[in-house]
Amino acid sequence: MDRLLFLLATGLARGAIFALFALSLVLIWRAARIINFAQGAMALVATYVAFAVSGLTGSYVAGLAAGILAGAAIGAGIERGIMRFAPHSQPLAGVIVAIGLVMVLQSLLGILFGAQFRPMSTPFDDSPIVGGGVPLLSPYDLFVLVIALAVMGGLALLFTRTSLGLQLRAAAFAPEVSRLLGVRVPRMVTIGWMLSAAVAALAAILLVPTELGLNPHSTDVLFVYAFTVAVVGGLDSPAGAMLGGLIVGVAMTLVTGYLGATVAPIAVLVLLVAVLLVRPNGIFSMREARSA
């Protein structure tokens, strides 16, 4: 029982990171109708920026802020400099460009920083807190959960309670009508890319210190799991990304704890196939997401 509680608590922290990254994929899908396969590589570049700033300043907060800002800047630069010129009538073109970006960015990181793993420190202790003789979340896990929930709540308020959020939603779902109503659709698409890339950068920065460290492929597995979460929850559903991330994170942790780490990817694949067979549009379809 003690082990189960520990695994559940740890799974929630890991699932919150998956949910954040999956939410970034949902944001870019809603803004530009593209699955950005370069999201992980873009977030990794921002993570290297955070690593460098933290090393220069000795401040984790400064590195975190720099990484998020770098993520937003990378998102804006790639949208305006590359993706805007990809043929929108051919969705595959954007996918091919994104895959090309992955190879370019990872190669550049390998050339500049090498392939070795670089340890990233955490601002809090990562050993679990023991309550009633039961090991639970570590201080860093609590920090991750609080940050993830705060970002999710902030984005929910942005899209439901602000004029900017309304314009972003309108530009995504009805761009031609939005133009007629005076919404600057290209600007909204750029802002969508910036938000998406910033959230992805935050998720990567939170995850990397708990893994082997930072190297040019640190976010590959994160992207795969987060993409699974986004598809399972529904690419049009932010709520699906949040809940799906927590479910997948807990499920992966339980499978790893009881059956071994090698079984976890198979369990995620089985979950993905099962959902696609039963609910091809995801557990939370567009209609359900809008009525929520």
Side-chain angles (χ1 to χ4, degrees):
M1 186 63 181
D2 292 354
R3 186 181 185 186
L4 175 62
L5 291 175
F6 172 72
L7 291 174
L8 288 174
T10 305
L12 286 175
R14 179 62 59 87
I17 296 177
F18 292 161
L20 272 180
F21 203 97
L23 183 59
S24 76
L25 295 174
V26 170
L27 288 174
I28 200 61
W29 172 259
R30 287 164 66 98
R33 264 2 203 195
I34 183 175
I35 298 174
N36 183 21
F37 285 92
Q39 196 85 317
M42 292 163 57
L44 189 59
V45 174
T47 306
Y48 269 95
V49 172
F51 176 80
V53 172
S54 294
L56 290 173
T57 63
S59 170
Y60 177 85
V61 175
L64 181 64
I68 294 172
L69 291 175
I74 292 167
I78 287 178
E79 190 281 324
R80 285 185 174 270
I82 300 175
M83 288 300 185
R84 184 169 292 190
F85 302 101
H88 297 289
S89 59
Q90 301 176 3
L92 186 59
V95 173
I96 294 173
V97 171
I99 294 174
L101 272 174
V102 173
M103 293 186 288
V104 170
L105 292 176
Q106 289 183 341
S107 297
L108 287 175
L109 290 175
I111 292 170
L112 294 174
F113 300 101
Q116 71 273 19
F117 284 92
R118 298 168 180 265
M120 286 186 69
S121 59
T122 61
F124 304 102
D125 187 10
D126 57 358
S127 57
I129 300 172
V130 178
V134 180
L136 299 173
L137 291 171
S138 69
Y140 184 70
D141 289 336
L142 288 173
F143 171 73
V144 169
L145 273 175
V146 170
I147 292 294
L149 292 175
V151 171
M152 294 175 191
L155 288 173
L157 289 175
L158 171 67
F159 282 103
T160 59
R161 295 289 187 268
T162 67
S163 174
L164 175 60
L166 179 61
Q167 292 181 64
L168 287 167
R169 293 166 62 192
F173 291 115
E176 298 302 327
V177 176
S178 300
R179 286 189 182 92
L180 294 175
L181 294 175
V183 176
R184 297 182 177 180
V185 174
R187 177 179 294 181
M188 293 301 107
V189 172
T190 300
I191 293 175
W193 273 81
M194 292 175 67
L195 282 174
S196 172
V199 172
L202 173 61
I205 294 168
L206 292 176
L207 178 69
V208 168
T210 65
E211 300 298 318
L212 294 174
L214 182 62
N215 94 324
H217 297 278
S218 294
T219 56
D220 290 352
V221 174
L222 173 61
F223 176 83
V224 171
Y225 288 146
F227 176 70
T228 301
V229 169
V231 173
V232 168
L235 281 169
D236 276 308
S237 175
M242 298 178 203
L243 295 177
L246 296 176
I247 292 170
V248 170
V250 170
M252 278 187 57
T253 305
L254 291 175
V255 171
T256 301
Y258 287 107
L259 300 178
T262 57
V263 184
I266 299 175
V268 172
L269 177 61
V270 170
L271 174 63
L272 176 62
V273 172
V275 171
L276 289 177
L277 289 175
V278 178
R279 301 273 304 188
N281 293 327
I283 296 175
F284 296 86
S285 66
M286 170 61 74
R287 180 175 58 187
E288 292 170 338
R290 285 185 173 182
S291 62

